[in-house]
């Protein structure tokens, strides 16, 4: 099937608009080449998705002002449409890697190369470099909330500001944290995840801060903690509301002075980390109850982001379902193309207490059991 291509061009005053160049170069290789100025491309992509005629590829120029966040926002607006960048220098290649663009084409443009890059299937996850954003890491959504979210990610990405992400379980908090990291100047350094609720209280201090040899009976050698592992990168503290009070004090110190002490050490260490936290708890309430330190709350809550539950944004369900079908079909080895309107209505009428994670699981289950190219009502199993 020949792809439908949207060219998001910089400005109408370019001597020869990119669209005309591409239309000429691509000829019969594509079904349609549409054009929109960059500022209107988002609306065009969303409108096409809403009309059931989503674009397959967006082509845009990696000019110096273009940011990774802007590229991702385009991909999300188009229902995870493939993005092909046109680059004149090494900046463009770096940008493409950083924002998870499907491909990058170098100037001077060659018709054959462009046609090839635009028509080819996206590379699978297996080949992707672990540190680079996977294409499936894109945050999908269509309402005003996602615009606001991308705006806020763009605001903080370039800084080291501490970010606090609030939202129910499964709403995408970790995905947002990862996106902040991969959009930041720290993107080549590690992104380290610590789930404060999953690690037993007695081990959490050791996990985070490490120890010196002899600090306790089993400490037969020095151990660097995860904080040190995140040096120059980003530390994501998930379920921060579950952090035990003694550790809250140690974390506060890291936030205030970038200093900490390993268990049993008599020296302080310095660390350069950007901290992003997440919680599904009401921290105000935990503070009022005395189980969360108020001073720490102020420190982590410098730049809050709130992610709405899926039941408040049912308009995202269709986009997400298609995104998850594309995400999982390769590994299942099934050529599933889509979903029937009836099956989609079933998803849309359920309230998803487990949010996007639950939707992803249900789509995956339906894909496992389905026998045809479309997910049908019978494939969708939801609790009553
Ligand atoms: N808006 C979204 N677009 C695409 N995938 C999403 C979105 N929100 C969540 N997901 C996916 O749903 C799953 C759960 O998200 P996660 O970030 O772990 O949620 P949380 O940390 O809030 O519990 C992950 O596989 C994630 O990639
Ligand atoms: Mg999580």
């Amino acid at each position: 099937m020949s792809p439908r291509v949207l060219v998001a061009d910089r400005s109408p005053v370019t001597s020869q608009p990119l669209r005309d160049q591409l239309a000429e170069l691509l000829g019969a290789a594509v079904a349609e080449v549409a054009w929109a100025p960059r500022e209107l491309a988002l609306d065009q992509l969303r409108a096409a998705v809403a009309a059931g005629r989503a674009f397959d590829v967006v082509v845009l120029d990696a000019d110096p002002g273009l940011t990774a966040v802007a590229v991702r926002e385009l991909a999300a607006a188009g229902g995870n449409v493939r993005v092909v960048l046109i680059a004149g220098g090494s900046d463009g290649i770096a940008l493409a890697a950083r924002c998870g663009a499907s491909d990058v084409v170098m100037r001077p443009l060659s018709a054959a190369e462009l046609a090839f890059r635009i028509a080819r299937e996206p590379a699978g996850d297996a080949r992707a470099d672990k540190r680079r954003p996977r294409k499936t890491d894109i945050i999908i959504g269509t309402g005003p909330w996602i615009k606001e979210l991308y705006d806020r990610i763009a605001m903080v990405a370039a800084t080291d500001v501490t970010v606090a992400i609030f939202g129910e379980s499964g709403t995408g908090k970790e995905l947002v944290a990862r996106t902040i990291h991969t959009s930041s100047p720290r993107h080549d350094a590690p992104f380290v995840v610590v789930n404060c609720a999953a690690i037993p209280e007695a081990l959490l201090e050791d996990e985070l801060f490490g120890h010196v040899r002899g600090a306790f009976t089993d400490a037969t050698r020095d151990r660097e903690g995860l904080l040190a592992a995140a040096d120059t990168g980003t530390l994501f503290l998930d379920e921060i509301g579950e952090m035990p009070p003694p550790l809250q004090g140690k974390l506060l110190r890291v936030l205030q002075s970038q200093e900490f002490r390993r268990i049993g050490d008599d020296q302080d260490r310095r660390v350069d980390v950007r901290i992003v936290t997440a919680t599904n708890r009401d921290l105000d309430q935990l503070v009022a109850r005395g189980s969360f330190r108020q001073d720490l709350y102020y420190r982590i809550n410098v730049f809050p982001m709130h992610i709405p539950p899926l039941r408040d944004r049912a308009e995202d369900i269709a986009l997400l379902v298609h995104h998850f079908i594309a995400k999982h079909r390769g590994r299942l080895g099934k050529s599933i193309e889509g979903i029937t309107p009836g099956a989609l209505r079933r998803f849309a009428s359920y309230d998803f207490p487990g949010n996007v994670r639950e939707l992803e699981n249900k789509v995956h289950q339906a894909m496992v059991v389905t026998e045809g190219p479309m997910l049908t009502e019978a494939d969708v199993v939801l609790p009553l």
Side-chain angles (χ1 to χ4, degrees):
M1 212 179 70
S2 19
R4 301 182 62 237
V5 179
L6 179 74
V7 180
D9 209 350
R10 227 175 326 180
S11 81
V13 297
T14 332
S15 55
Q16 192 197 6
L18 198 53
R19 169 195 43 174
D20 295 346
Q21 273 180 49
L22 292 185
E24 203 173 295
L25 288 172
L26 292 170
V30 300
E32 177 186 340
V33 181
W35 173 87
R38 180 90 54 79
E39 316 82 68
L40 298 182
L42 286 171
D43 290 339
Q44 281 267 44
L45 288 166
R46 291 195 186 108
V49 170
R53 288 174 50 80
F55 286 98
D56 302 290
V57 182
V58 175
V59 179
L60 79 162
D61 201 344
D63 66 68
L66 185 65
T67 65
V69 174
V71 176
R72 274 175 221 205
E73 192 177 5
L74 277 169
N80 206 4
V81 62
R82 296 178 48 221
V83 176
V84 173
L85 287 184
I86 293 178
S90 57
D91 300 2
I93 299 176
L95 178 69
R98 202 141 52 85
C99 61
S102 300
D103 238 322
V104 55
V105 185
M106 300 302 292
R107 287 187 193 284
L109 297 179
S110 121
E113 188 189 356
L114 253 175
F116 169 73
R117 306 262 178 206
I118 285 176
R120 81 168 170 181
E121 279 290 306
D125 272 358
R127 275 178 35 197
D129 174 341
K130 243 177 61 209
R131 288 240 173 106
R132 288 185 179 168
R134 292 155 297 191
K135 219 190 147 243
T136 48
D137 278 347
I138 204 93
I139 308 165
I140 301 286
T142 149
W145 79 274
I146 190 103
K147 168 101 191 81
E148 159 98 13
L149 183 73
Y150 273 106
D151 285 348
R152 288 183 74 74
I153 291 174
M155 270 182 237
V156 283
T159 73
D160 277 340
V161 167
T162 305
V163 176
I165 306 172
F166 299 95
E168 290 178 14
S169 182
T171 48
K173 299 185 295 296
E174 182 164 343
L175 179 62
V176 169
R178 198 177 288 278
T179 304
I180 292 170
H181 171 73
T182 50
S183 310
S184 80
R186 297 172 175 267
H187 59 87
D188 279 332
F191 175 77
V192 175
V193 180
V194 179
N195 186 331
C196 302
I199 303 172
E201 185 170 335
L203 292 182
L204 188 57
E205 180 172 14
D206 191 35
E207 280 289 315
L208 262 178
F209 299 99
H211 63 248
V212 294
R213 187 176 160 209
F216 43 86
T217 324
D218 291 338
T220 52
R221 43 186 180 140
D222 286 8
R223 177 170 191 265
E224 299 295 335
L226 292 172
L227 186 59
D231 194 29
T232 72
T234 304
L235 180 67
F236 175 51
L237 294 172
D238 202 0
E239 311 291 359
I240 185 83
E242 318 307 315
M243 181 173 269
L247 287 193
Q248 293 176 21
K250 268 188 109 158
L251 177 63
L252 182 62
R253 184 146 178 256
V254 174
L255 285 164
Q256 281 168 341
S257 61
Q258 305 265 50
E259 279 177 352
F260 71 101
R261 208 173 263 212
R262 295 182 296 176
I263 302 171
D265 204 349
D266 50 13
Q267 308 268 322
D268 288 333
R269 308 201 132 207
R270 289 197 71 82
V271 68
D272 167 23
V273 286
R274 195 279 172 80
I275 292 182
V276 178
T277 69
T279 183
N280 57 11
R281 305 282 297 266
D282 178 348
L283 287 184
D284 282 311
Q285 211 176 70
L286 297 186
V287 169
R289 223 192 280 159
S291 62
F292 202 83
R293 289 178 67 136
Q294 179 140 47
D295 44 8
L296 179 61
Y297 181 34
Y298 289 144
R299 273 281 170 179
I300 61 172
N301 202 24
V302 183
F303 194 90
M305 287 191 183
H306 295 270
I307 311 195
L310 185 56
R311 63 184 163 280
D312 291 350
R313 46 182 164 108
E315 66 281 7
D316 289 349
I317 288 179
L319 273 182
L320 285 163
V321 168
H322 286 286
H323 171 65
F324 293 133
I325 291 174
K327 178 173 169 182
H328 295 296
R329 88 179 127 209
R331 244 171 301 162
L332 287 172
K334 287 187 170 183
S335 51
I336 299 166
E337 283 157 24
I339 177 165
T340 64
L344 201 52
R345 271 197 301 275
R346 292 214 52 207
F347 277 129
S349 63
Y350 178 61
D351 71 350
F352 290 101
N355 292 294
V356 183
R357 179 178 295 113
E358 185 179 10
L359 175 62
E360 179 167 10
N361 289 340
K362 299 301 181 207
V363 171
H364 190 232
Q365 280 169 17
M367 292 175 74
V368 170
V369 299
T370 195
E371 284 171 349
M374 301 290 273
L375 302 183
T376 66
E377 272 168 88
D379 301 325
V380 176
V381 180
L382 297 168
L384 292 176

